[in-house]
Amino acid sequence: GNGNLVLNAGSGGVVSTAGSNVDFRGDVSVPTAGGGGITFDGAIAAGSLTVSGGSFVQFGVVNLSRNLSVTASRDIDQKGAISVAGTTDITAADRAVTLDNELNDFGGTVSVTSRSASFRDVNSLTIGRLTTTAAVSLVAGGALSLSGSSGNGISINTGGSALTLRSGTSLVTTGTLYGGPVSLHRTSGITLAHDITATSSLSLSTTNALVSQGGGRVDVEGATTVSAGTGGVTLESSANNFREALRVTG
C-alpha cells in the first residue's frame, strides 16, 4: 500500500505476523495498549516503523526507507537482519537491547536507552545517544562514530560489565570509558583521548596499526593486552596505572 498502516495489539495479547510479510510504502505503527509482546515472524518493508507500549519486541527481517522507533518494557531482539535508512531510536527501560545480526545496516543515527545494549552494523554505525547501566557491545564493519547527537562525544559506563567497541576504520574515544573487561579493536589505528578505567582486563588491538594515547589516563585493575601487529604502541601518560601484567605486541 501507499498510505499508513496501524496494527493495534490491544490489551495484553501477543501480536505475531505468523510468517506473513508486510510490504508497505507508507508508515507502519504498532501500538500495544495493554503491554502485550510483539513478534515479527515475517518480513516488514515500509517507510517508517513505530512500535510502542509493548512488553517484549522481537523482529524478523526489517527494511525501512525512513526511521525506526521502538519503546518496550522488556527485551528487544531480532531473528532477521534490520536495515534502516533513517534514524533508529530504541527504548527498553531497564532491559536488554540485542540487535547484533551481522547483516544489520543502520544508515542514520542510533539512539538507545536500556540496561544493556548490543548493536552490530555491516557498514558504519553512528551512535547519537547511549544511556545504559550494564554491558555494551558496538561493532561496525565501517566507522564507529561516538560523537553523540550534540557532537560533544559519548561516555560509557557499564559498571562491572563488559564494554566492547570494534570499528572497521579508525577508533577514537570521544568520552570516558568505564567497564569490567574493556575491549577496543580497530582495523586501522586506536587513539585514546579520554580516561579509560577497566575494573578487570583491558584489550587493545589493531591490524598492523598504531595504538596511541593523546589524552586521559588508563587505569586497569587486571591484565592488559595490547596487540598492534607491525604497528607501534605509545601509551606514555604518567597517570597510567597498569596494576597487573602488561603484554605488548607491536
Side-chain angles (χ1 to χ4, degrees):
N2 294 309
N4 297 329
L5 174 65
V6 177
L7 302 175
N8 197 317
S11 57
V14 175
V15 171
S16 173
T17 57
S20 299
N21 297 332
V22 176
D23 191 348
F24 214 70
R25 293 183 180 88
D27 297 337
V28 175
S29 177
V30 187
T32 51
I38 300 170
T39 300
F40 295 96
D41 293 324
I44 299 287
S48 293
L49 175 62
T50 301
V51 181
S52 59
S55 56
F56 68 85
V57 177
Q58 185 175 68
F59 290 106
V61 175
V62 177
N63 287 284
L64 303 177
S65 60
R66 289 189 288 278
N67 307 320
L68 172 64
S69 176
V70 186
T71 302
S73 60
R74 293 176 59 188
D75 295 348
I76 298 172
D77 60 19
Q78 65 184 138
K79 296 190 297 183
I82 296 174
S83 177
V84 183
T87 60
T88 297
D89 196 309
I90 305 287
T91 299
D94 190 32
R95 301 302 290 255
V97 175
T98 307
L99 301 179
D100 57 1
N101 186 293
E102 63 183 4
L103 297 179
N104 287 343
D105 190 2
F106 301 99
T109 300
V110 174
S111 300
V112 60
T113 299
S114 61
R115 183 184 73 240
S116 61
S118 180
F119 282 82
R120 186 168 181 174
D121 196 311
V122 68
N123 294 307
S124 296
L125 177 61
T126 301
I127 304 297
R129 182 189 76 248
L130 183 67
T131 305
T132 56
T133 57
V136 170
S137 176
L138 304 174
V139 177
L144 174 60
S145 172
L146 301 171
S147 58
S149 57
S150 63
N152 293 327
I154 290 177
S155 295
I156 304 174
N157 186 337
T158 67
S161 300
L163 170 55
T164 301
L165 304 178
R166 297 179 65 90
S167 173
T169 60
S170 60
L171 178 59
V172 179
T173 62
T174 61
T176 59
L177 302 179
Y178 185 106
V182 175
S183 176
L184 309 182
H185 174 79
R186 160 63 175 106
T187 302
S188 296
I190 293 176
T191 301
L192 307 182
H194 303 79
D195 289 352
I196 294 181
T197 302
T199 59
S200 59
S201 61
L202 173 65
S203 174
L204 306 174
S205 63
T206 68
T207 304
N208 301 323
L210 178 67
V211 176
S212 64
Q213 184 175 18
R217 67 189 293 264
V218 179
D219 189 350
V220 187
E221 293 190 16
T224 300
T225 302
V226 184
S227 176
T230 58
V233 177
T234 307
L235 300 174
E236 296 181 327
S237 171
S238 61
N240 291 344
N241 190 359
F242 301 102
R243 301 170 191 263
E244 295 190 8
L246 172 62
R247 180 180 180 182
V248 178
T249 303

